[in-house]
Amino acid sequence: MNISVIVLGAGKGTRMKSNNPKVLHKISGKSMISHVIDSVKDISDDIVVVLSHQAKRIEDELNREYNNLKFHIQDLENFPGTAGALRGISPRYEKVLILNGDMPLITKESIGKLIEKDGDINLSVLELENPKGYGRVVIENGEIREIVEEKDCSPTQRDIKSVNGGVYCLKREVLEEYIPRIDNSNAQKEYYLTDIIKLAVDDSRVVNPIFVDESEFKGVNSKYDLAVAEEIMQKRIKRELMESGVTMRLPDTIFIDINSQFEGEVTLESGVSILGDSKIVNSHIKSNSIVESSIVKDSEVGPMARVRPESNIIDSKIGNFVEVKKSTLNGVKAGHLSYLGDSTIDEGTNIGAGVITCNYDGKAKHKTIIGKNVFVGSDSQLVAPIIIEDSVMVGAGTTVTKNIKEGSLAISRVKLKVVKDFFYKFFGRG
Ligand code: UD1
Ligand code: CA
């Protein structure tokens, strides 16, 4: 489609009270600005992201995710504000869509509504019970007159409940004509893009209000807004997943990152978090377990288990208080209280309660490789790097410090000493 998109992300985001750039704050595992870019990347091949504050950091992060974005650096010092952001940008196409970078809930569908209507400017308008923080849209006889920012409102204007949703679809020539004419005579001494409305209306241009829903056009300015947006996004993600067949017990207690995938018969119990780009296939994740950037297939995990990034849990059972990191378990049972890191464990192997892979020697991480049908007794330590071949038995309480050949028993124990009547000698018979 022949439309240019400009995403505004140069603001300081002071209200966020954070050292990190506002638009990089995450909603459901993805930065706010990436959510915005995702909503437009299919309709435009001319997407310009405006940056300034911590530009390099944001640019680097976006370049890892997308490969055809353009970046424009705003002169924040001389031309602060959302109109200042647009100075010096030359959109390729005659139709231009402008979005704030802090509205992660926006969807392709609502953008469709904004761009389909003809007019010089289509403006997103929200009707809010509590309009606080937004620019008020002054509408007289059904026609938009102007937008007044909250800090510039008269007491009566402050009561207006129609507010600017922060998305604008306009003609390139409208931008070219009015952006240079916008000044900074307002409470914040900033160049407001919102002033374009009055300039256009005064010239009898066609400005259409497009009424939209708050659940998609919420601007995120503070940590509280971030939490509210997160809740809306989570509801959306979980609803879609449940509709596509994922079973969730008490879904309000479950957290799912947007890049996680689910296939087949999946059940998630209460308090579960599925993070990063995890993939869960035909599996049951029990209460209060966390799976991060891992694959779980044909398996049972939890309750209270933690699967850390780069793990593959295939056809396995991971029980309570088991932590797995960067490990592949294929056909394995690890029922209780274990740490399995940087390991590969094969079919038919049983990991007893309290088994620990000692993968770190203080300088580097080392691998543990365990073959098929191995029985690792409870409370054993496997000091990596180490290879335990197929059909090995490790006695409970063993510290394994060298490779064990197929079919062997490995056992390291201090000889058990029993001192008869010691208890009574020590405490007396009282
Ligand atoms: C803005 C609108 C307000 C609207 C609200 C919707 C203006 C003046 N006001 O207010 O009418 O109701 O969004 O959420 O536009 N930015 C820049 N350069 C700057 C300043 C901001 O690129 O110099 C970017 C920010 O990074 C942000 C977006 O523009 O992504 C909006 O800026 P923000 O300061 O959040 O504007 P609001 O006060 O929320
Ligand atoms: Ca905002």
Side-chain angles (χ1 to χ4, degrees), residues 336-340 350-358 375-383 394-400 410-413:
H336 340 257
L337 299 158
S338 274
Y339 172 60
L340 305 169
N350 188 87
I351 305 289
V355 170
I356 307 287
T357 54
C358 309
F375 180 88
V376 184
S378 296
D379 195 31
S380 295
Q381 304 92 50
L382 313 176
V383 183
V394 176
T398 296
T399 304
V400 185
I411 185 157
S412 76
R413 270 189 206 158

Side-chain angles (χ1 to χ4, degrees), residues 15 22 100-103 133-134 218-222 225:
R15 287 167 283 178
K22 168 163 91 171
N100 289 351
D102 65 352
M103 34 190 316
Y134 289 87
K218 197 168 176 45
V220 172
N221 298 313
S222 66
D225 293 341

Side-chain angles (χ1 to χ4, degrees), residues 94-98 114-115 117-123 168-178 196-197 199-210:
E94 275 169 31
K95 205 168 189 178
V96 184
L97 178 73
I98 302 174
L114 266 143
I115 61 182
K117 191 156 184 168
D118 283 333
D120 291 305
I121 302 179
N122 293 339
L123 174 73
Y168 319 74
C169 179
L170 30 70
K171 291 182 178 157
R172 180 175 60 196
E173 47 122 349
V174 171
L175 274 183
E176 285 166 350
E177 183 167 349
Y178 299 112
I196 202 168
I197 303 297
L199 293 173
V201 167
D202 286 349
D203 278 353
S204 310
R205 296 238 183 208
V206 179
V207 179
N208 298 311
I210 309 288

Side-chain angles (χ1 to χ4, degrees), residues 331-345:
V332 173
K333 285 189 182 144
H336 340 257
L337 299 158
S338 274
Y339 172 60
L340 305 169
D342 302 298
S343 59
T344 304
I345 310 177

Side-chain angles (χ1 to χ4, degrees), residues 271-286:
V272 161
S273 297
I274 309 291
L275 309 176
D277 53 354
S278 295
K279 189 168 179 186
I280 316 290
V281 185
N282 291 326
S283 292
H284 187 156
I285 315 293
K286 299 184 180 173

Side-chain angles (χ1 to χ4, degrees), residues 138-151:
V138 180
I139 301 176
E140 284 166 8
N141 307 323
E143 304 213 333
I144 296 187
R145 296 296 314 159
E146 62 178 329
I147 301 176
V148 187
E149 288 305 298
E150 186 167 83
K151 287 187 175 142

